[in-house]
Every structure is written in C-alpha cells, then in structure tokens.
Amino acid sequence: MASRLLLSAFVLAHLGFVLAVYKAECDLVPADFVFLLDSSGSETEKGFKTQLAFISNFTANFEVGANKAQFAAVTFSTGVHKDFYLNEHTDQASVLGAINKIQYRDGETYTDQGLDFVRNNVLQENHGARPGVAKYVIVLTDGRSNDNSRTVQAATTLHKVPNVTVIAIGIGHAIDRNELHIIGTDNNHTFVVNNFDLLHTLEVELVDKTCKLCGDYPADIAFLIDSSGSEYGTNFDNEKNFVSMVANEFNYSYNDTLIAVSQFSTSSRTDIFFNQYPDKAGLMNAIAKIHWLNGESNTHLGLTELAHHVFTSRQHTIHTHGHHNEHVMYGPRGDSAKIAIVLTDGRSLEPDQTQRAAERLHHMGIEVFAIGIGHSVDRNELRIIATDSNHVYQVPSTNDLDSIHTTIVDAICKLKVPPPTTTPMPTTTTTIATTTVKQACGQKPADIVFLLDASESEEAEGFAQEIQFVYNFARKFHIGPQNVQFSSVTFSTTVRNDFFLNTYNNRHDVLNAIQKINYMQGGTNTSYGLKFVRENSFQPQHGARTNATKILIVITDGQSADSVSTKHEAQLLHNQGIKVYAVGVGSDVDASELKSISSDGTPILVTDFSLLHDIQASLETAACHGGT
C-alpha cells in the first residue's frame, strides 16, 4: 500500500507539473472544471492529499474568472460533500485556498452519489455553470464503487448533459477498469495510473482533452484594410501579409472559420466575401491578388461596406474566369461569432459619419478590432471604431503588423465560443489579454528543426521538460510557409521523425504536434540524429526553403555513443550553411563534443532540465538574429 501511494503521489505531482507547459494557452477559451474526488477509506489521508496536490497544480495553470476558467470541487465516500461551487471563487488564489481546505472524510465508495450530485447541483446555472461553455468533470478514484449498477446509471445520465466531458482517472491496482471506462465519456477520456511507462502518455492525453488552443465555435471574420494614398507599395503589401498570417492560423471551412476582405480609400470595395472560395489555397491566392485603390481616407465608407455588404446577406454579381457574370448570395452565418478587424493609418475625413457607421456595426453585434498604423492615427477615433478600449491596438508602421498578429489570433480564439444567450448574434464585449504571445522574428523566414535527446538518461520527467521548452519556444513565432517553419526529430538508439517542416503550416497544428511527441528511451546515438536531419529534414521535398535561414537546435543530456561520428556529422551540417545551436543539460554532457556540434563553438549549458526556461529568451533572440 505504501509503495502504491508513493507511486500515485509521484504520478499526480508529475502530471500537474507537465500541465504547466500549456498555461499561457489554456486561458484563451472559457471552461467549467469540476473535480470529483474519492475520499473513501482506501485512499488514506496521504493518498487524498496527493489528489489535492494534483488538482492544485492543475488549477494553477488557468486564469480564473467569469469569462475564463471556473472550478468546483466535490468529495464522496459514504456520502457526498460539496466543497465549493463554480461561482464561489472568482480568482485563482481563492480557488487554490479553497482546495487547500478540503478535508479527508473516510468511509465507503459511493461513486454514484458523487456523480448524481455533480449533475443535479454543481452543473446548474444557479451555481455558476455557464450555458454553451465546455464542462469537464474530472473523477479521481482508487477503487471500485459500492454499487456498480447505480454508478453505471449515474454516469450514463451525466454523459447526456450538454457540453459535458467526463474524464475518469483510476489510481492503483484496486480499480475496476470496466467501471472506470463507463464513468469516462469514452475510452479516450479514461486513464489509469499504475506504472511509470504510462506516465508520458497520460500527461499528453489529459492536456489534449482539457486545454483548447482555440475555441471551435464558427466565426465570420472580416478585414477592412486601408487603401488610401499613404498605404502604397510595401505598406499595402504588409497589410495584405497581415491578413494572410491571421487567416492562415484558422481552419477555413463553412463549419469553422470564414474570411472576408474589404478596403477603403475615396470609395470602398469588397474583394472577398464570406464563403466565396472553397478552400484556404483559393482564399490565400485571392488575398495576394487584392489591388491598391489609392485615394482619401473615407473610413466611414469602409465601415458601411462591412455593415451593408459583408455582414448582411445580399446577392452579388461575380465575374467568373469564363467571362460570365454570376449572381451569388453571400453573407454571414446565423450561428457564428461576427468579427471585424479594421486597419487604418490616419484620421477619417468624416469623423461624425465614421462614428455613426461604427455604432451601426456595434448594434449588429459585431466585435470590432481597430488597429492604428503609424503616428497620424487618432487614438480617440480608434476607440470609437472598436467595440471597446480592449479592442484597440497601435503599431509604429506596417512593418510592425506581424508583431501583433498572434495577439489578434488569440483574441479571436477567445471569441470563438458560443454566445451566452440564445440571441442570434453575440453582443458580449470580452476583455482580451494582449500579452499571451509575443512576436519574435517579424517576417524573416526561418526553417527551425529541433533534435531532441530521448535516451534513457533523460528519464520521462526530463523529456517532458524538454517538450515544455520546445512548446514555449515555438509558440513565440508566427508559423507558416511564408514565415517560420518548425520540424522535430527525436533520437535515442534509433531516430524518429516527429514532423517535417512542411507537415504543418500554422501555429495551432505545430503546437498540437509538439504536445504529442512521445518519450523513446534507449541509447544516445546523436550522430544518427544529426545525419537524419542533414539528409532529410532540410531537404526541399520536406519543406526546406532556399530563401530561409536554416537553424538546428540540438538538446542532449549526455555524451554520444560515437563521439567521432557525431563531430563528423556536425561538420557536414556546418558545411551546408546550417546554423546549429547545441544545448547541454546536466553534468554528464561532453563539453568538447557540444562545442563541435555548435556552429560558433559555444554551446549553451544548463545544470538541469528545470532551468531550460532560463535560456529560452536568449535562444529565441539568437535564432531570430540568425534569420536576418
């Protein structure tokens, strides 16, 4: 029993640690979390405290609030005890304090009563449950229930509640696996913690189930770009580039995200209507072909264009390739978030009319972001155009638009959730956090490959921290075929390609792929990894671009099995003009070998995996500088 509790304590503490990888992203989409904790006699007070440590670590990774994450906790044994409801604590510190006060109660294992209490009480609106928001009930138990038939019935009924996902975590060897699978929403939401080898799979899967990088509610996003005289040449191209970067981050389809693009100068025009193009390739090609209008800054005409022709369903005449005119109905969907992103570099010629046109969009329930470019913009007018002050952004020039693109993407992600009421258009004004992701490399293209040591000396915890470092590094860059591309390769006794440079073309997909990289174990054949990268990862057929800086970041915690071959392979990479950074972790690394791997002969050394985050900023800067 003692060994089992010790293992369980390690597992849950380790699991909570790994969830910290995703903190900055998990607060983008609101969610209601309910912990249902086994407090029966078999848990023992020590085991129960382990559960509390786990849920504390988990909770610490989320922003808590009415428009963010909410938490509730319930314990069960012979009876059920409500510890706190979803609406009792409105900030993280308060939730963590309440968790710390949860008492162990001892008794039998009436799991069915706990499940019924969650459904009948915790998930009710009067106790803070929000309609349309994802709800996760996380059940932790170390044994089989006293009444299996009632537990099955209670779980089946809970599964029918809208937007509820039940995650069942069984601890130790006394659990009833069949019962656990019935409690969980499905097999993908059922986990068993009973040996070390399963830890990494459990960590990645649980985070996948509870942390969304972006809401999945449909969104109609319209861009209004300034096409006045001051936005000629490169400036107009930069505006279009910004539109492409933001649009590329989303899944373009009728059931997810649709894009429209309008522009204004002396007059206004819509170049792309919602759903005009069947796929993302067609959309991107159309954006690239948008022509500059030239003229004055009649911002009000652009805003009116959005209201009358983009966010209102109308029949439009489209000139086809066959030189025929087609009459097509375009417009927004009824069940979507409506978002407008307005770019302007100066004051409007008709401020009163601009205000009236902006108010019309606001009254239509459209979330409006206003982006001011340069020093001639009127900050007050930006505030009038935008839904509120939290939707206003300013950049020094069009060259700096890329620096806020991920901030805009994250703001949109936060709006891609169902509206809180049944009204046809969302009217809430959500406060947007503007510091979730910073831009690191501008529009300089770079091909970055990570070569990760997954040998036995790493151990699962060390490898998890390695993945944390890669994840946090990658999410600081805007990702796409015209910007930064990422690839990952892991090595131990053998080599495994995780994904090539051209496997994923947006930040969302790359970050998801990084989350799924598994620990390998085995020897340290660094030379095999270097050779694979040279012969495969940086090849054109796998996404390597001739105009991109090629960067390899090697992370290892020990000496390679064949130092001579490792140094030889490193030199071949240098000869190809690939910039190699060598990161050594711990005291078992071979400093001489790392020097030979590194392009400039200066490896980056940290004493243990927990300190990898200390070198992240400097490595980002170095990689970014390498792309100049």
Side-chain angles (χ1 to χ4, degrees):
M1 174 67 76
S3 62
R4 191 188 81 186
L5 290 174
L6 181 63
L7 176 59
S8 298
F10 174 80
V11 167
L12 292 178
H14 182 43
L15 179 54
F17 161 77
V18 173
L19 289 170
V21 175
Y22 311 98
K23 178 177 181 179
E25 298 293 346
C26 285
D27 59 11
L28 293 179
V29 180
D32 292 338
F33 292 94
V34 181
F35 296 111
L36 181 58
L37 308 175
D38 188 342
S39 183
S40 61
S42 57
E43 285 273 327
T44 76
E45 189 163 0
K46 184 177 180 180
F48 186 75
K49 286 181 176 178
T50 300
Q51 290 187 132
L52 296 186
F54 165 68
I55 67 172
S56 291
N57 289 338
F58 183 93
T59 303
N61 292 289
F62 294 82
E63 272 194 76
V64 177
N67 293 317
K68 300 172 183 176
Q70 295 186 150
F71 290 87
V74 175
T75 50
F76 68 92
S77 54
T78 303
V80 178
H81 180 79
K82 182 273 297 181
D83 295 289
F84 53 90
Y85 285 123
L86 291 163
N87 57 358
E88 286 190 39
H89 302 285
T90 57
D91 60 72
Q92 188 188 83
S94 179
V95 174
L96 294 175
I99 290 173
N100 193 48
K101 294 176 182 178
I102 296 176
Q103 298 293 314
Y104 172 58
R105 300 186 180 277
D106 202 349
E108 301 298 324
T109 310
Y110 285 97
T111 315
D112 60 300
Q113 294 183 21
L115 295 169
D116 282 338
F117 185 87
V118 167
R119 176 174 57 84
N120 293 326
N121 296 274
V122 182
L123 296 179
Q124 299 303 309
E125 288 187 45
N126 60 313
H127 292 142
R130 295 167 291 185
V133 169
K135 298 168 181 62
Y136 297 99
V137 179
I138 302 176
V139 183
L140 288 89
T141 182
D142 78 333
R144 62 170 54 87
S145 68
N146 280 57
D147 193 326
N148 177 262
S149 62
R150 289 189 176 183
T151 296
V152 170
Q153 182 179 355
T156 302
T157 307
L158 180 59
H159 294 165
K160 296 177 182 178
V161 178
N163 303 309
V164 169
T165 299
V166 183
I167 297 173
I169 302 176
I171 306 169
H173 302 287
I175 58 169
D176 182 334
R177 287 176 179 263
N178 290 331
E179 183 177 77
L180 202 67
H181 281 288
I182 291 171
I183 294 173
T185 293
D186 52 39
N187 289 342
N188 293 323
H189 294 84
T190 304
F191 305 97
V192 177
V193 180
N194 60 3
N195 65 66
F196 186 81
D197 293 335
L198 292 176
L199 293 183
H200 186 68
T201 302
L202 176 59
E203 294 152 4
V204 174
E205 288 300 312
L206 186 57
V207 171
D208 255 354
K209 305 310 176 189
T210 60
C211 174
K212 289 186 178 181
L213 296 179
C214 196
D216 53 12
Y217 190 70
D220 293 328
I221 306 170
F223 293 88
L224 178 62
I225 56 180
D226 191 337
S227 192
S228 60
S230 54
E231 289 297 302
Y232 63 91
T234 302
N235 287 328
F236 191 68
D237 288 341
N238 287 343
E239 284 191 272
K240 292 195 296 181
N241 217 16
F242 173 78
V243 173
S244 294
M245 286 191 294
V246 174
N248 192 49
E249 296 272 13
F250 295 96
N251 177 31
Y252 179 80
S253 72
Y254 188 80
N255 294 320
D256 198 323
T257 302
L258 294 179
I259 304 293
V261 184
S262 303
Q263 53 180 320
F264 68 92
S265 60
T266 304
S267 59
S268 63
R269 181 178 75 198
T270 296
D271 296 276
I272 301 171
F273 293 100
F274 293 130
N275 206 36
Q276 183 174 346
Y277 294 93
D279 53 38
K280 184 180 284 187
L283 171 69
M284 293 299 175
N285 186 53
I287 294 172
K289 291 181 178 178
I290 294 175
H291 295 295
W292 176 54
L293 290 176
N294 195 4
E296 303 295 335
S297 295
N298 281 321
T299 315
H300 69 285
L301 294 180
L303 298 174
T304 301
E305 178 77 14
L306 293 182
H308 288 175
H309 298 282
V310 177
F311 285 107
T312 299
S313 294
R314 286 178 177 270
Q315 183 171 277
H316 298 277
T317 301
I318 303 298
H319 192 61
T320 66
H321 294 298
H323 304 288
H324 297 292
N325 291 332
E326 288 187 5
H327 301 289
V328 183
M329 184 70 72
Y330 290 125
R333 294 160 293 180
D335 57 346
S336 64
K338 277 76 175 175
I339 301 165
I341 301 172
V342 181
L343 290 83
T344 180
D345 77 340
R347 290 180 174 87
S348 66
L349 291 181
E350 302 288 346
D352 290 341
Q353 293 188 51
T354 296
Q355 180 171 348
R356 286 195 291 272
E359 289 173 350
R360 186 182 301 114
L361 288 172
H362 301 162
H363 292 154
M364 293 172 68
I366 297 164
E367 294 277 350
V368 183
F369 294 89
I371 302 175
I373 305 167
H375 304 290
S376 299
V377 294
D378 183 337
R379 174 78 185 186
N380 184 57
E381 186 170 73
L382 292 178
R383 172 61 189 87
I384 289 170
I385 293 172
T387 297
D388 57 36
S389 59
N390 294 305
H391 289 58
V392 175
Y393 301 86
Q394 283 187 265
V395 293
S397 72
T398 59
N399 291 324
D400 301 293
L401 282 170
D402 66 295
S403 70
I404 64 167
H405 117 271
T406 47
T407 300
I408 296 297
V409 168
D410 291 338
I412 295 171
C413 280
K414 199 166 186 178
L415 296 173
K416 279 173 59 62
V417 295
T421 66
T422 57
T423 54
M425 301 185 74
T427 57
T428 56
T429 55
T430 307
T431 300
I432 304 300
T434 60
T435 57
T436 305
V437 180
K438 72 178 181 65
Q439 181 49 255
C441 260
Q443 298 182 36
K444 307 176 187 71
D447 291 338
I448 302 176
V449 178
F450 278 96
L451 180 59
L452 307 176
D453 186 345
S455 61
E456 194 170 76
S457 57
E458 290 268 327
E459 299 186 344
E461 183 172 355
F463 189 75
Q465 289 169 308
E466 214 174 334
I467 297 302
Q468 171 185 4
F469 175 78
V470 174
Y471 181 97
N472 287 338
F473 186 99
R475 75 181 186 84
K476 298 299 179 72
F477 294 81
H478 62 71
I479 296 172
Q482 306 304 318
N483 303 297
V484 180
Q485 297 185 145
F486 281 94
S487 171
S488 175
V489 177
T490 48
F491 70 93
S492 57
T493 305
T494 58
V495 179
R496 179 186 67 207
N497 180 63
D498 299 305
F499 54 91
F500 285 120
L501 292 164
N502 58 357
T503 304
Y504 305 107
N505 61 11
N506 61 69
R507 187 166 65 99
H508 177 277
D509 290 344
V510 168
L511 295 181
N512 274 338
I514 291 170
Q515 292 179 32
K516 292 177 169 64
I517 297 174
N518 292 317
Y519 179 45
M520 293 174 68
Q521 293 188 330
T524 311
N525 282 322
T526 315
S527 62
Y528 291 6
L530 295 171
K531 183 178 182 180
F532 181 90
V533 168
R534 176 174 58 84
E535 294 181 345
N536 297 275
S537 303
F538 285 114
Q539 296 303 310
Q541 66 267 32
H542 294 141
R545 299 163 294 180
T546 56
N547 66 328
T549 300
K550 295 172 177 59
I551 298 167
L552 173 64
I553 300 173
V554 183
I555 305 177
T556 182
D557 77 334
Q559 183 175 351
S560 70
D562 187 338
S563 183
V564 173
S565 294
T566 295
K567 293 177 180 179
H568 174 68
E569 287 297 335
Q571 188 58 53
L572 292 177
L573 284 165
H574 301 163
N575 294 344
Q576 290 188 1
I578 296 167
K579 182 71 173 177
V580 184
Y581 295 91
V583 180
V585 184
S587 57
D588 294 331
V589 296
D590 183 333
S592 173
E593 185 176 79
L594 289 175
K595 286 181 181 179
S596 68
I597 293 174
S598 177
S599 290
D600 62 4
T602 307
I604 303 170
L605 303 175
V606 293
T607 54
D608 62 63
F609 285 101
S610 66
L611 298 177
L612 277 173
H613 63 84
D614 290 345
I615 66 167
Q616 182 175 318
S618 60
L619 188 55
E620 286 167 5
T621 301
C624 190
H625 179 72
T628 58

